[in-house]
Amino acid sequence: GMTGDIRFEYRARRQDGRWCWFESECRGLTEPDGSRGVVSIIRDISERKRIERELKRANTELKAAREVADAANRSKSEFLANMSHEIRTPLAGILGYAEMLINYCKTEEERKDYGSKIKRNADNLTELINDILDLSKVEAGALKVEQLEFSPMTEVESVLSLLQIQLQEKGVGLETSVERPIPGNIISDPKRFRQ
């Protein structure tokens, strides 16, 4: 009968100099006459170890890829939720002022005022849609980036003046601070810079 097994793994160098993994299994035996002995089985498990390592690496890479994909999906969901809100704001303005223009407009001055507000909201909406389309081009790798000379401060001021009107209507304040020195002109893509 058997008196128990012992199994262990270890690395050893073969005669040709290569390091390999081995598994030893020792089985204690009791002969019919009562004498005891040990049977030892040694297997080269280098290939099994290599496959285990590869599987572990593949699992780690798969986990990392899944985490990146999950983060990207979360970002897309947040972006879409934010964009739908951003799009609705100027759209509501366009519809509201158009209704005022059609139903409640009495003077030429009011007509011009509502018309300019409709145009301003339409411009904002166009800019937003262009930004969204650009982002989809970035993902598709088809975005063409310009290399033009322009003043960063001029662009910042133009964005501020565009936002200022919207913010005033919402009762939100906006301040900028510039850490100087800042170059008068840079070479980049002014549209991307504005975005």
Side-chain angles (χ1 to χ4, degrees):
M2 275 193 272
T3 58
D5 295 357
I6 300 170
R7 181 179 293 177
F8 55 94
E9 295 173 358
Y10 56 93
R11 282 184 79 207
R13 188 176 272 173
R14 293 168 68 114
Q15 283 180 323
D16 61 10
R18 278 189 309 128
W19 282 93
C20 291
W21 277 95
F22 294 94
E23 178 186 72
S24 278
E25 198 178 333
C26 301
R27 294 181 180 182
L29 296 174
T30 306
E31 297 293 339
D33 63 2
S35 63
R36 289 181 172 183
V38 174
V39 175
S40 184
I41 302 158
I42 300 172
R43 293 185 198 91
D44 182 339
I45 58 163
S46 302
E47 183 63 11
R48 188 178 86 197
K49 282 285 184 186
R50 188 189 66 75
I51 290 166
E52 280 172 8
R53 269 198 316 276
E54 288 296 318
L55 279 171
K56 200 173 176 184
R57 189 181 300 127
N59 274 335
T60 304
E61 286 170 9
L62 193 65
K63 194 178 172 191
R66 195 178 291 125
E67 280 168 11
V68 167
D70 287 349
N73 281 334
R74 275 196 305 277
S75 293
K76 276 185 183 173
S77 299
E78 284 166 19
F79 171 75
L80 287 172
N82 192 38
M83 273 302 127
S84 66
H85 171 73
E86 290 289 320
I87 288 167
R88 280 194 190 101
T89 305
L91 196 55
I94 291 166
L95 294 170
Y97 289 123
E99 191 180 329
M100 299 287 278
L101 190 65
I102 295 161
N103 297 323
Y104 304 104
C105 190
K106 293 194 172 51
T107 66
E108 180 69 15
E109 198 183 332
E110 278 181 340
R111 204 167 62 78
K112 279 187 177 165
D113 181 42
Y114 295 148
S116 71
K117 283 177 175 166
I118 289 169
K119 188 184 181 313
R120 193 172 64 235
N121 279 293
D123 289 343
N124 289 344
L125 192 56
T126 304
E127 190 79 16
L128 263 173
I129 290 165
N130 286 339
D131 290 353
I132 294 165
L133 293 175
D134 275 356
L135 279 170
S136 65
K137 281 185 196 167
V138 168
E139 287 207 327
L143 185 70
K144 186 176 177 290
V145 179
E146 299 286 322
Q147 289 293 301
L148 303 169
E149 190 175 332
F150 65 93
S151 155
M153 279 315 299
T154 304
E155 292 304 326
V156 167
E157 282 158 17
S158 100
V159 169
L160 283 176
S161 68
L162 187 76
L163 290 174
Q164 210 72 54
I165 302 154
Q166 293 178 24
L167 294 171
Q168 276 167 4
E169 288 170 359
K170 293 177 183 175
V172 176
L174 176 66
E175 289 178 17
T176 56
S177 69
V178 180
E179 285 187 23
R180 303 201 182 273
I182 193 167
N185 280 351
I186 59 171
I187 293 172
S188 184
D189 187 322
K191 188 168 190 297
R192 310 290 164 248
F193 184 81
R194 276 197 302 278
Q195 288 170 349

